[in-house]
Amino acid sequence: MSELAIGDSAPDFDLEGNGGERVALSALKGKPAVVYFYPKDDTPGCTKEAIAFTALHKDFDGLGITIIGLSPDTAAKHDKFTAKHDLNLRLGADTETSTAQAYGVWVEKNMYGKKYMGVERSTFLVDADGKIAQIWRKVKVPGHAEAVLEAARAL
């Protein structure tokens, strides 16, 4: 699939989520959302990112924006992750990586000379019409949640 761009329709997904609930973009029809992809529960960068989004949850909620985090981890791992760090986020289990592939964030990575496939930390701001309003790729965690909130205020 070609890379998504601002103005494109956000690919829908319907995944098992934390707390035994389904996480589906189409269920939010008419409401904006932040869809962020992260590599793995309970790793340093992913934990910092989730904590940062949780800290701003009330601000996003005040704008009517739902935050959805997606990774290849299982819903059971998401439950442990949210409990351990007291996260207030909806997390989806993209165990087959089909959603990451649809968003173009399932990419070849290279660590210590070893190549493997994994999630590129990325965030998509989706407007109330289901269109992509903003994209952040190769996200660096410090200050990222705040930058997304600032962009969300402009919707």
Side-chain angles (χ1 to χ4, degrees), residues 39-53:
K40 189 172 175 59
D41 287 343
D42 226 8
T43 56
C46 298
T47 300
K48 287 176 185 168
E49 184 176 30
I51 289 170
F53 275 121

Side-chain angles (χ1 to χ4, degrees), residues 21-38:
E21 296 185 13
R22 301 295 298 177
V23 178
L25 189 60
S26 57
L28 302 175
K29 192 168 179 108
K31 296 180 181 179
V34 170
V35 179
Y36 81 95
F37 291 86
Y38 65 98

Side-chain angles (χ1 to χ4, degrees), residues 13 15 23 35-39 68-72 78 90-94 99-100 103 119:
F13 51 85
L15 303 168
V23 178
V35 179
Y36 81 95
F37 291 86
Y38 65 98
I68 301 170
L70 302 177
S71 84
H78 288 336
R90 296 176 76 184
L91 301 179
D94 187 22
T99 304
Y103 278 78
V119 171

Side-chain angles (χ1 to χ4, degrees), residues 83-104:
K84 180 177 180 180
H85 299 287
D86 198 26
L87 303 175
N88 188 10
L89 301 172
R90 296 176 76 184
L91 301 179
D94 187 22
T95 56
E96 302 293 320
T97 71
S98 58
T99 304
Q101 290 176 49
Y103 278 78

Side-chain angles (χ1 to χ4, degrees), residues 57-135:
H57 187 268
K58 287 182 183 176
D59 295 294
F60 282 101
D61 203 38
L63 297 171
I65 296 173
T66 300
I67 303 168
I68 301 170
L70 302 177
S71 84
D73 290 308
T74 64
K77 284 188 84 177
H78 288 336
D79 286 337
K80 289 177 186 172
F81 183 47
T82 56
K84 180 177 180 180
H85 299 287
D86 198 26
L87 303 175
N88 188 10
L89 301 172
R90 296 176 76 184
L91 301 179
D94 187 22
T95 56
E96 302 293 320
T97 71
S98 58
T99 304
Q101 290 176 49
Y103 278 78
V105 301
W106 186 249
V107 300
E108 184 176 80
K109 296 175 130 187
N110 188 350
M111 185 180 289
Y112 305 117
K114 182 183 177 211
K115 293 182 189 251
Y116 63 98
M117 295 301 290
V119 171
E120 177 182 83
R121 189 182 311 278
S122 303
T123 302
F124 297 81
L125 179 60
V126 180
D127 69 18
D129 296 321
K131 304 284 185 193
I132 297 172
Q134 188 66 260
I135 300 171

